[in-house]
Amino acid sequence: MKRIAALALMLFAACTDIPEGPDPIRLTFPDMRRFDAASPGRAARPNSEIALDFIDLAFRMESGRELPVFSRFEGPVTVRVAGDVSDTMITDLEALLDRLRREAHIDIRRTESSDANIVIEAVPSRSLDRVAPNAACFVVPRVSSWAELRAARNTGALDWATVRQREKAAIFLPGDAAPQEIRDCLHEELAQALGPLNDLYRLPDSVFNDDNIHAVLTGFDMLILRTYYAAELQSGMSEAQVADRLPRILARFNPRGQRAGGQIPSSTSRAWITAIETALTNGSAGRRRQAAARAIAIGQSLGWTGTREGFANYAFGRLQIGNDATVALGAFNAAGRAYGQSAVTNIHSAHVAVQLAAFTLISGDAEATITIADEAIPVAEQHENAALLALLLMFKSEALELQGDSEKAAEVRLDSLGWGLYGFGTRDEVVSRLNEIASLAPQIAPTQ
């Protein structure tokens, strides 16, 4: 399931009074901006490393439970949509299906037939909350509708570990969410309906990671899905049988990955996962901060670097906002150093950049704010994260205002509005973020 991002992109100034801003009715908005659904990039790590990731993704579940056999759909896959769906959702789904055909070489298409293999049903957010309170969306086997899901609960039918060959699955997502959230759900849940049921916190380049950093399927994800549907594999195979075939499959699909340098990844301890999950859930702020600090300490004791080190510090920093700004800044800097060790985690660094830009804007350092935003904006574009992109543009606009360049600031702000509509869903939500960022900037005394 795609978890609710308790720390994602909801902002910074917890103790700041946000002034009244522009009325969304009077503010002139451009049309909603959209991405062209290009791949964010090819798989970059060695095949020896990817093979180990594949096994952990294919034969484990998020809980750590073992899956007895490899399972997938056999033959062409059909997808049907149901519920109150928007034109934007249909467009995003068609773009995703096109990518799955081109990049993962999966024979998949939309259908109106009632016997579709995968049904994607849009339901109200409040209904999702009642069934899965900590999930933005989820996928289950053996049902084709919300009514069937409710009837099958507590029967054992929804247990993925009992599936030997996939024939039917249903994805449930919030039809009333922002376009980007719906698209993100489509990417992760359709990928899990087709392939891996696991999420791994160690992965730097995948949506199969509960940190929710990646918004759309990456080159790594498409390679994993292409491998899932390789001719050499079939449903019912054991872990040993799949592992024996993987090197040859990956060598054929990803010749660039046939090189030395792959690392044997350490498993993520259940204690660390528990600490992170506690930090991300709703509850006592103090308890959540303690949990994030505990995750940092566990990672340090195990010598972790990279993605898990960065995310624990990022979570801790977010939870310190409004409590101790100095500690928060130190945590964000630590996250930035961890993510900055590799180009694979550039998008992670871009998320940290939003937080660092808040600190530089508060301090009145317009030049530093613009530099931070300019470095992160192309990364947000490449990884198709409109919400992140909109925030970075808003920071740049406020910094330009500080420098007295109101014309350029207005141009950048206008650009942020179009991306904000896709990322946040409504004009009111976009204006709320504009006002929040504006409240961080030092007030400029009017000229006499």
Side-chain angles (χ1 to χ4, degrees):
M1 66 175 63
K2 183 171 181 62
R3 298 185 184 277
I4 293 173
L7 296 174
L9 299 181
M10 300 297 299
L11 298 178
F12 350 77
C15 294
T16 302
D17 292 329
I18 301 174
E20 289 295 324
D23 186 326
I25 296 175
R26 293 197 302 267
L27 188 62
T28 301
F29 271 72
D31 292 337
M32 183 173 69
R33 298 288 300 274
R34 305 174 59 88
F35 296 103
D36 60 7
S39 175
R42 300 166 68 179
R45 293 184 287 121
N47 284 340
S48 57
E49 197 172 311
I50 293 172
L52 294 170
D53 295 335
F54 186 95
I55 291 298
D56 279 348
L57 287 168
F59 287 93
R60 319 278 183 269
M61 298 191 73
E62 290 183 50
S63 63
R65 185 182 179 191
E66 301 279 332
L67 291 170
V69 296
F70 177 77
S71 71
R72 70 180 187 187
F73 290 98
E74 300 292 345
V77 181
T78 54
V79 179
R80 178 170 61 87
V81 296
D84 187 10
V85 299
S86 66
D87 291 342
T88 300
M89 174 183 159
I90 296 299
T91 300
D92 284 339
L93 175 59
E94 291 288 8
L96 172 57
L97 295 177
D98 180 63
R99 279 194 63 197
L100 288 168
R101 288 189 292 266
R102 287 185 293 105
E103 298 179 47
H105 295 242
I106 296 174
D107 185 357
I108 187 169
R109 61 181 173 82
R110 271 188 69 204
T111 182
E112 299 298 327
S113 173
S114 60
D115 64 352
N117 299 114
I118 300 172
V119 175
I120 302 171
E121 184 169 349
V123 298
S125 295
R126 63 180 181 277
S127 299
L128 281 173
D129 288 342
R130 285 195 292 267
V131 172
N134 293 317
C137 42
F138 58 90
V139 59
V140 293
R142 298 190 175 113
V143 301
S144 296
S145 70
W146 186 253
E148 287 184 19
L149 168 72
R150 294 177 66 85
R153 293 177 69 189
N154 304 317
T155 67
L158 306 179
D159 185 355
W160 281 105
T162 65
V163 175
R164 187 175 183 88
Q165 177 178 319
R166 303 184 197 186
E167 297 177 348
K168 188 162 61 172
I171 295 166
F172 302 103
L173 50 76
D176 50 1
Q180 177 168 312
E181 183 176 340
I182 294 173
R183 182 211 59 188
D184 292 1
C185 281
L186 287 172
H187 276 245
E188 180 164 350
E189 302 309 328
L190 186 53
Q192 292 204 305
L194 293 166
L197 300 171
N198 197 5
D199 281 315
L200 298 171
Y201 276 107
R202 71 170 186 258
L203 295 181
D205 48 5
S206 176
V207 300
F208 301 121
N209 186 327
D210 273 337
D211 64 8
N212 285 337
I213 295 293
H214 285 279
V216 298
L217 291 170
T218 66
F220 168 89
D221 297 326
M222 288 296 182
L223 175 60
I224 291 294
L225 289 170
R226 186 178 182 186
T227 303
Y228 240 85
Y229 286 83
E232 295 92 329
L233 303 182
Q234 63 186 37
S235 295
M237 281 186 168
S238 68
E239 180 176 330
Q241 289 174 314
V242 172
D244 180 63
R245 290 160 174 76
L246 276 180
R248 294 186 295 278
I249 297 171
L250 290 171
R252 186 170 80 253
F253 290 165
N254 188 40
R256 294 171 68 248
Q258 291 295 98
R259 64 181 192 278
Q263 298 179 346
I264 298 176
S266 61
S267 60
T268 303
S269 73
R270 185 52 52 182
W272 188 91
I273 292 173
T274 299
I276 284 292
E277 288 179 346
T278 301
L280 299 183
T281 56
N282 293 323
S284 160
R287 181 169 176 265
R288 294 173 66 194
R289 286 193 294 269
Q290 290 172 358
R294 187 161 60 252
I296 294 172
I298 292 170
Q300 289 173 340
S301 71
L302 296 172
W304 288 346
T305 59
T307 306
R308 289 173 291 192
E309 178 193 11
F311 187 60
N313 278 283
Y314 177 71
F316 185 59
R318 287 304 312 270
L319 292 167
Q320 288 291 347
I321 294 172
N323 180 63
D324 190 322
T326 300
V327 172
L329 180 57
F332 291 135
N333 283 328
R337 288 191 296 270
Y339 288 144
Q341 296 170 8
S342 170
V344 174
T345 46
N346 279 349
I347 184 60
H348 304 68
S349 296
H351 280 263
V352 176
V354 169
Q355 307 302 329
L356 297 179
F359 282 92
T360 56
L361 187 63
I362 288 169
S363 69
D365 192 338
E367 184 175 351
T369 304
I370 292 169
T371 298
I372 290 170
D374 282 345
E375 290 178 356
I377 284 169
V379 179
E381 289 178 323
Q382 178 189 4
H383 290 269
E384 302 195 0
N385 193 320
L388 178 62
L389 176 57
L391 293 176
L392 290 164
L393 290 167
M394 290 174 190
F395 273 112
K396 182 175 180 178
S397 174
E398 288 301 324
L400 288 166
E401 288 283 10
L402 279 181
Q403 289 184 333
D405 193 346
S406 295
E407 183 176 346
K408 180 65 174 176
E411 178 184 331
V412 174
R413 186 178 298 111
L414 184 65
D415 198 19
S416 78
L417 301 180
W419 292 115
L421 286 175
Y422 186 82
F424 300 115
T426 68
R427 294 186 176 197
D428 285 349
E429 289 291 333
V430 176
V431 171
S432 176
R433 282 156 180 79
L434 278 172
N435 290 340
E436 189 169 357
I437 292 173
S439 75
L440 302 177
Q443 298 302 304
I444 301 173
T447 56
Q448 299 298 322

